[in-house]
Amino acid sequence: MSATSLTRRDVLAITAAAGALSLLGKHMPQAAEGNNAIRPFRINVPEAELVDLRRRINATKWPERETVTDASQGVQLATIQELARYWGAEYDWRKCEATLNALPQFITEIDGLDMHFMHVRSQHANALPLIVTHGWPGSIIEQLKIIEPLTNPTAHGGSASDAFDVVIPSLPGYGFSGKPTTTGWDPIRIARAWTVLMKRLGYTRFVAQGGDWGNAVTEQMALQAPPELLGIHTNMPATVPADIAQALQFGEPPPSGLSAEERGAWDQLDFFYKHGLGYAQEMMNRPQTLYGIADSPVGLAAWMLDHDARSQALIARVFDGQPEGLTRDDILDNVTLYWLTNTAVSSARLYWESKLAFFAPKGVPIPAAVSVFPDEIYAAPRSWTEKAYPKLIHYNRLSKGGHFAAWEQPELFAAELRAALKSLR
């Protein structure tokens, strides 16, 4: 299919007719094939939206600086002011828009909701179909750098037999996907939708990958065990044993007899439970209250940066002139996507919708591969991982990388995926 573009006039015309469509061209007119149609999608943000964004950034009302010399009170004033300075004066969304529009993007309706996705086929024969799911505060921006090494492995240290066809959807309420207007869009329902999507694309066998919410969705796909799903890969596995989870929840000391690897994971989790769960608890309980991040772009950026301590430190260094895997534009591409699609609150509702214990093992019954990055929220020990995934086909601890591994270390991540899923081809 050839992509088509909606101009501002087209969008305004549709808005006048329907009364509820986005100025970003999210909901293109449905093709004649009916609800199962796969419609080409192209981004065309009106310039007025970008002018308004810069105006809001430059009009930010700032608080005083933190009263400590570290990030223990949150995103530091110097970091966010430098982000705002660059965002308001130098950043160019059109570069990101052009990158996205150079890729095949589509919309299709599943279970009454429009789903946006990128679908990039490899030129190599017998490529393995792969669906990759992002998390919060991520988006499809997270996976842009892995598309080329996965679909074209011969140019990135792999062989033709390593090739993947790559499908990268936007979660419901995120990016250019539709925003649910009723309750029920939890990881379980999304997992069913992703299987529908892959089958609608004509795939009779495929694998799935995810981290963060992407892991929750991918594990649910595995639990639903559609016959087409050969196996899964995760870079944020759910492996925490019940006794560990209980001790962490109630502030108890760690159980005796932990190995050094297990004690390291305990220490990481203990820090996260005590200092890193605030954003998740607010979104899990009161997502609608977050009007401030829908109204202030700088407020949104700060909220998104404060996901976990290691990621925040990496991003702070980037804005201090020390790029480490991510650039200033990488970070602002992602934040700007949230802003332009007005998905700050709709994305937060996934925390409210999900009733799953995030780190608890789910008993995945199909082949699973696990990659452990050292700066993840916690580095899952092999002992916990083997119990959580009875059909573990791959476990590897990487030397670098964190929560946004595909974004931060794309070549390493792609090579790991090739190795992890090779046995399922």
Side-chain angles (χ1 to χ4, degrees), residues 306-370:
D306 201 6
H307 176 271
D308 67 279
R310 291 172 182 84
S311 296
Q312 182 187 333
L314 183 151
I315 291 170
R317 291 193 295 272
V318 170
F319 282 97
D320 195 34
Q322 305 174 51
E324 297 186 25
L326 297 177
T327 67
R328 295 180 177 203
D329 283 358
D330 287 334
I331 295 157
L332 289 173
D333 287 344
N334 188 54
V335 180
T336 305
L337 178 64
Y338 271 74
W339 177 262
L340 294 173
T341 54
N342 192 22
T343 49
V345 172
S346 60
S347 63
R349 291 195 191 104
L350 183 53
Y351 284 81
W352 186 91
E353 288 285 358
S354 179
K355 305 300 184 289
L356 301 171
F358 214 96
F359 297 133
K362 308 299 189 298
V364 171
I366 68 173
V370 171

Side-chain angles (χ1 to χ4, degrees), residues 92-265:
D92 183 4
W93 162 258
R94 296 300 184 192
K95 293 180 180 178
C96 180
E97 186 174 274
T99 297
L100 291 170
N101 282 336
L103 295 165
Q105 297 180 81
F106 304 92
I107 296 279
T108 193
E109 182 184 321
I110 301 175
D111 199 8
L113 194 67
D114 274 351
M115 302 297 182
H116 167 263
F117 62 98
M118 298 183 291
H119 183 201
V120 185
R121 295 183 185 271
S122 174
Q123 294 183 354
H124 296 291
N126 302 315
L128 180 61
L130 166 70
I131 184 167
V132 184
T133 308
H134 66 82
W136 187 96
S139 67
I140 57 170
I141 301 295
E142 272 187 81
Q143 282 88 31
L144 289 178
K145 298 177 190 175
I146 63 171
I147 294 173
E148 169 66 15
L150 290 177
T151 58
N152 187 20
T154 55
H156 297 268
S159 65
S161 61
D162 292 321
F164 293 91
D165 284 350
V166 178
V167 178
I168 303 174
S170 297
L171 288 166
Y174 288 67
F176 300 108
S177 281
K179 299 176 184 179
T181 57
T182 58
T183 60
W185 278 102
D186 62 359
I188 299 168
R189 188 173 179 181
I190 296 169
R192 290 197 296 266
W194 279 191
T195 298
V196 170
L197 173 60
M198 293 302 280
K199 293 169 68 174
R200 188 172 294 178
L201 293 173
Y203 293 124
T204 58
R205 55 194 300 277
F206 59 88
V207 290
Q209 196 285 327
D212 196 270
W213 282 118
N215 173 70
V217 171
T218 299
E219 286 192 334
Q220 291 303 313
M221 292 177 73
L223 291 173
Q224 293 162 12
E228 298 84 3
L229 182 61
L230 305 178
I232 66 170
H233 173 272
T234 177
N235 56 290
M236 189 182 169
T239 69
V240 179
D243 61 333
I244 298 290
Q246 180 174 319
L248 288 164
Q249 181 180 357
F250 293 104
E252 299 170 357
S256 60
L258 296 182
S259 69
E261 190 179 50
E262 292 167 344
R263 181 55 194 258

Side-chain angles (χ1 to χ4, degrees), residues 34 41 125 142 149 153 164 212 241 258 280 286 298 383 393 408 419 422:
F41 178 80
E142 272 187 81
F164 293 91
D212 196 270
L258 296 182
R286 313 287 286 181
V298 169
S383 57
I393 58 171
E408 177 197 342
K422 186 176 286 291

Side-chain angles (χ1 to χ4, degrees), residues 271-290:
F271 179 87
F272 183 70
Y273 273 61
K274 290 176 179 175
H275 304 289
L277 270 175
Y279 73 92
Q281 290 171 334
E282 178 65 15
M283 294 193 290
M284 180 175 64
N285 287 288
R286 313 287 286 181
Q288 193 64 31
T289 298
L290 297 171

